[in-house]
Amino acid sequence: MAESTHILQDDTPVRYLKGVGPKISERFEKLGIYTLSDLLCHYPRRYRDFTQPYTIGQAPFNVDCVIQATVLAKHGMRRISGGRTLVRVTAGDDTSVLEISWFNNAYAADKLEIGETYFFEGMASGSMLRRQMVNPTVRTQVQVQAEPLLAVYPQTEGLSSLQIGKCIAQLLDHAELLPEPLPQAMLKKYRLLGKAEAVRAIHRPHSAEEAYAARRRLIYEELLILQLGIARMKERNVAAAGAPMRRTDPTPFWRTLPFAPTGAQKRATTEILADMAGKHPMNRLLQGDVGSGKTLVAAAAIWSAVQNGYQATLMAPTEILAVQHANSLAKMLEPFNIRVALLTGGLRAAEKRTTLAAIQSGEADLIVGTHALLSQGVVFRHLGLAVIDEQHRFGVRQRTLLNEKAHEPHVLVMSATPIPRTLGLLLYGDLDISILDELPPGRTPVKTRFLKGARRGDLYGFLDREIALGHQVYIVCPAIEDNPAQDLNAVKTYYEDTAKQLLPNRRLGLMHGKLKPKEKAAVMEQFKAGELDVLVSTTVIEVGVDVPNATVMVIENAERYGLSALHQLRGRVGRGAAESWCFLVSDHDGEAVQQRLKFLCNTADGFAVAQYDLETRGPGDFFGNRQHGLPDLQIADLMTDSRTLNAAQEDAAAILAKDPTLKNPDHQILAALVEQMFRKAGALN
Ligand code: ADP
Ligand code: MG
């Protein structure tokens, strides 16, 4: 009894549980489980359903399933090659016979009795007449009655779902230890289970309905905590004072352009200029599919900041893109005598000194650059606006760094990687969002085709005809050097042995990340000027590059990229009025790869593409190395639980409206959980 009073603390380390020594508790730590309450909140992924077992004859082939059958014979234990043991049992029902074997589990059949009926869970193979199952788990009728849905937990090496389940079972009588974070009113409003009840039910549901009710309650709790934390982050940003500006009318800027801005561009600009004239620093995300014309909106904001007597800066993820932006912005802003400087890592020492001096003296109005802008030597004279292009390529940390370069400048981040709206709201929960949902007029969707390498000859025939029409072509290959082990089309070899051979009379250029900045710039210039017909390149051209005369994008080894990356690459074409094409070349036979590439062929919508990536690859993959700084969620899923997410957002706002710092005793547990969730994610540092 003394033991069990001891574990009546939810922050008791797991090693105090029966059967959990230092080794096992280390394995628990791998799963992020340190305390008993962590363990109670380690929710199952799914359940093995024993309520509707198969007969032997009806069991599906080669998928996990549960078969109910009677043990007919036990064949005892045998030693087989490699010092292994084999135990065999024959079971049967009215439909067929099931041969069961266990390897290296000498006692597997000891508790089975001939003539008794059991549930065997595993993969059934063999033929119609003689089915087989290897290493199944066995449960008795009594066990199944007590626990018809068996929880399946996220496991780790040396710690199976079954073991985890046994540890949790010891705790279920103490579930009341977990305090109830949700106010009573909330429980009533949504008819949610209480915390302890939900926790017990999620681990040991008596029915699918009960499991569902438990999930619903726990998902809501998790999302409410998430939304409260996000709202708090947002609050911090609002607290600071920014660079005060007058509200400017962008008409004089629009008038100098060779085309009219789209409705979406005008709307976004209005929102941005209003923010910049507000009391607090702007924190806005400009989200728009590739080619929607984000640069122009940024230019309008920059124009306005400079009209107000401030400097502005624009940071791009690659040198190529920075150079392109510096050139095109200089052209757009020239009528207003706005002086543009370029700062990249590739500058010579002397150039760099001059540029740094111009930034510090205020001689430069707009400074365009790469992350070199974040380096120590860069001192702005009076930075009023910072624009970050292709935000998803940078971490949240870089955004903060740039923020610190000046006294709270207005910040505009732009992303072409379309982020599904719910996720965008969360990732950039401390941001407002403007969306460019309209492409400039006269664009036709890029025709996308998927083909095997064997048809490269035909493809090049097509390229040659396109070039004859005066159009230009990109060909993207994965790596720089050949890698025989991976059978990749390395860009250099491909350029010499494939592209040049198949297009002997055309002008080809080679571009990759290992070229010197000056060389890159020179190749890009030639391509822009139409002096090259084809640019064979690595993905350094993935984002932002804008050459409207290019109409064909060929992507070799297309299987290597996520859909969002492919969509970005495809966005390099279809920027002019001419019909454009994207060819995905791959010899990969994998079903998933083929499906992915075919999906892209049928979808022009970047949001749908991002959604597909997110569903098939998960948000971690989607954003690279989890740079978004959002907490990991235990049970909720941002995609499928988006309605609950919205409800939780409203509820969080309502709670904070009455109790902004969560000081109310009713909210104390919530406050602690918010703190815990966000501290774990490092989002509150
Ligand atoms: P992204 O949103 O992908 O960054 P860009 O800013 O590079 O798109 O713009 C894509 C192309 O569309 C550029 O060539 C740009 O000059 C052109 N463009 C932008 N806005 C308009 C417009 N309102 N009308 C016509 N062309 C436009
Ligand atoms: Mg862009």
Side-chain angles (χ1 to χ4, degrees):
M1 239 26 283
E3 278 275 0
S4 76
T5 37
H6 193 79
I7 66 170
L8 293 184
Q9 296 278 333
D10 62 353
D11 59 353
T12 307
V14 278
R15 67 169 180 280
Y16 286 95
L17 274 182
K18 215 166 66 192
V20 178
K23 236 200 205 128
I24 303 267
S25 82
E26 240 171 63
R27 291 175 190 157
F28 269 121
E29 282 175 23
K30 279 211 185 108
L31 292 169
I33 297 168
Y34 298 87
T35 65
L36 297 185
S37 78
D38 291 341
L39 185 56
L40 271 172
C41 299
H42 187 65
Y43 304 129
R45 268 222 181 101
R46 58 191 178 88
Y47 302 93
R48 299 219 162 98
D49 186 354
F50 287 82
T51 58
Q52 282 154 328
Y54 285 100
T55 61
I56 300 172
Q58 282 173 337
F61 283 87
N62 302 318
V63 276
D64 239 6
C65 68
V66 175
I67 295 178
Q68 185 174 21
T70 306
V71 171
L72 303 178
K74 305 210 300 184
H75 308 291
M77 193 263 281
R78 275 201 297 141
R79 296 209 171 271
I80 54 172
S81 65
R84 297 188 302 162
T85 62
L86 170 65
V87 172
R88 288 197 313 119
V89 159
T90 304
D93 62 13
D94 297 346
T95 63
S96 187
V97 172
L98 181 66
E99 296 293 349
I100 301 171
S101 339
W102 285 275
F103 291 94
N104 280 346
N105 189 355
Y107 310 106
D110 284 6
K111 286 193 190 141
L112 302 188
E113 284 180 36
I114 293 174
E116 279 295 318
T117 299
Y118 297 91
F119 295 81
F120 300 95
E121 194 248 321
M123 205 128 69
S125 58
S127 68
M128 219 34 159
L129 294 176
R130 211 165 148 276
R131 308 294 309 264
Q132 296 171 345
M133 207 178 231
V134 177
N135 294 339
T137 49
V138 185
R139 299 183 75 215
T140 63
Q141 306 216 35
V142 174
Q143 283 173 322
V144 166
Q145 238 158 38
E147 203 177 343
L149 296 163
L150 188 65
V152 179
Y153 294 98
Q155 48 189 18
T156 183
E157 209 179 315
L159 193 56
S160 69
S161 170
L162 229 57
Q163 281 172 290
I164 294 171
K166 278 185 188 151
C167 291
I168 290 175
Q170 294 182 49
L171 281 176
L172 288 181
D173 285 343
H174 306 292
E176 264 74 20
L177 287 181
L178 296 175
E180 173 62 70
L182 298 181
Q184 282 304 318
M186 212 68 95
L187 296 178
K188 265 215 186 111
K189 176 172 166 197
Y190 295 114
R191 297 159 179 252
L192 297 173
L193 298 182
K195 174 87 175 202
E197 200 184 342
V199 165
R200 252 197 303 272
I202 195 134
H203 292 296
R204 283 261 175 117
H206 292 103
S207 64
E209 291 73 42
E210 200 185 21
Y212 177 80
R215 282 190 83 76
R216 193 167 76 84
R217 138 83 211 208
L218 295 167
I219 286 170
Y220 175 78
E221 175 186 323
E222 185 164 50
L223 293 177
L224 181 70
I225 291 167
L226 181 72
Q227 293 287 18
L228 283 168
I230 286 170
R232 267 191 44 188
M233 280 167 65
K234 191 165 177 163
E235 203 51 42
R236 287 183 191 203
N237 282 325
V238 172
M245 296 188 189
R246 283 175 279 111
R247 179 79 173 262
T248 38
D249 172 6
T251 314
F253 174 67
W254 296 143
R255 264 204 216 114
T256 60
L257 297 174
F259 42 68
T262 64
Q265 284 170 324
K266 277 199 211 157
R267 269 196 303 282
T269 304
T270 305
E271 288 166 352
I272 289 165
L273 298 189
D275 277 6
M276 286 173 29
K279 277 201 221 111
H280 304 297
M282 169 172 73
N283 244 322
R284 189 170 279 275
L285 167 67
L286 177 61
Q287 183 184 300
D289 208 345
V290 278
S292 58
K294 293 182 290 296
T295 317
L296 188 65
V297 176
I302 290 165
W303 173 83
S304 170
V306 177
Q307 298 307 304
N308 272 284
Y310 287 95
Q311 282 176 309
T313 185
L314 184 146
M315 185 165 78
T318 65
E319 185 132 7
I320 294 174
L321 194 51
V323 171
Q324 175 186 291
H325 277 322
N327 288 333
S328 63
L329 287 167
K331 209 149 101 209
M332 278 190 248
L333 298 170
E334 206 211 304
F336 304 96
N337 294 320
I338 292 176
R339 296 152 299 183
V340 180
L342 173 70
L343 187 77
T344 64
L347 291 187
R348 268 193 261 274
E351 292 170 314
K352 191 168 173 191
R353 265 199 305 279
T354 320
T355 308
L356 288 177
I359 299 173
Q360 188 155 15
S361 68
E363 208 177 303
D365 301 306
L366 167 63
I367 304 93
V368 178
T370 56
H371 55 266
L373 286 168
L374 301 173
S375 58
Q376 292 237 310
V378 181
V379 181
F380 294 97
R381 183 167 148 78
H382 41 205
L383 185 65
L385 169 68
V387 182
I388 305 178
D389 193 18
E390 309 292 349
Q391 148 77 17
H392 62 287
R393 288 298 189 97
F394 294 106
V396 173
R397 199 164 342 114
Q398 268 116 336
R399 191 173 101 203
T400 317
L401 269 176
L402 193 55
N403 233 324
E404 285 165 359
K405 273 273 165 206
H407 185 68
E408 304 288 344
H410 296 291
V411 175
L412 177 66
V413 303
M414 309 201 286
S415 185
T417 288
I419 298 150
R421 186 164 175 90
T422 47
L423 196 58
L425 278 167
L426 279 175
L427 294 180
Y428 304 112
D430 56 339
L431 294 187
D432 299 302
I433 303 186
S434 294
I435 292 183
L436 294 185
D437 52 4
E438 184 183 349
L439 294 179
R443 302 273 174 84
T444 46
V446 181
K447 294 206 164 116
T448 308
R449 299 287 181 268
F450 168 36
L451 52 100
K452 299 251 177 216
R455 290 191 48 210
R456 207 171 275 117
D458 299 343
L459 174 62
Y460 270 79
F462 179 85
L463 298 185
D464 196 52
R465 290 194 294 281
E466 276 292 305
I467 296 167
L469 292 173
H471 297 153
Q472 289 167 287
V473 174
Y474 296 100
I475 302 175
V476 171
C477 302
I480 296 175
E481 309 289 347
D482 258 329
N483 182 348
Q486 288 183 11
D487 195 23
L488 295 179
N489 289 297
V491 71
K492 274 185 188 162
T493 317
Y494 186 94
Y495 173 71
E496 293 294 338
D497 299 348
T498 306
K500 272 187 166 175
Q501 302 307 317
L502 293 174
L503 290 171
N505 304 316
R506 301 301 183 186
R507 299 162 302 171
L508 277 65
L510 174 64
M511 166 78 87
H512 55 73
K514 290 244 172 90
L515 291 180
K516 296 208 182 76
K518 285 262 142 65
E519 297 169 324
K520 272 190 233 168
V523 177
M524 210 57 230
E525 264 326 296
Q526 279 184 298
F527 189 69
K528 276 202 156 163
E531 292 159 16
L532 293 173
D533 303 309
V534 179
L535 188 62
V536 180
S537 173
T538 55
T539 52
V540 290
I541 56 146
E542 176 183 336
V543 290
V545 170
D546 184 39
V547 180
N549 190 48
T551 56
V552 188
M553 166 64 70
V554 177
I555 305 167
E556 293 278 355
N557 293 101
E559 74 278 356
R560 302 232 320 159
Y561 309 100
L563 285 193
S564 293
L566 292 173
H567 180 68
Q568 278 275 354
L569 282 168
R570 174 169 69 177
R572 297 312 109 219
V573 298
R575 302 188 147 237
E579 173 152 81
S580 295
W581 297 83
C582 175
F583 295 99
L584 309 170
V585 187
S586 176
D587 286 324
H588 205 280
D589 293 327
E591 175 108 8
V593 167
Q594 304 242 341
Q595 259 181 19
R596 209 147 48 92
L597 298 182
K598 282 184 186 144
F599 179 85
L600 192 68
C601 292
N602 296 322
T603 315
D605 175 4
F607 283 80
V609 167
Q611 184 101 4
Y612 188 93
D613 251 0
L614 201 59
E615 279 163 15
T616 53
R617 312 203 321 160
D621 259 5
F622 187 78
F623 290 98
N625 51 3
R626 299 208 141 267
Q627 52 187 207
H628 50 68
L630 256 196
D632 277 327
L633 297 177
Q634 280 277 340
I635 187 164
D637 178 318
L638 298 180
M639 299 305 301
T640 51
D641 301 322
S642 60
R643 276 176 57 195
T644 313
L645 186 66
N646 293 340
Q649 186 173 30
E650 279 173 27
D651 294 336
I655 290 176
L656 291 172
K658 284 195 195 139
D659 181 18
T661 52
L662 298 180
K663 282 275 162 6
N664 185 324
D666 272 1
H667 298 146
Q668 241 162 42
I669 300 159
L670 267 181
L673 290 175
V674 170
E675 190 70 34
Q676 191 187 329
M677 179 190 274
F678 279 72
R679 195 160 7 90
K680 260 191 195 163
L684 288 186
N685 302 334

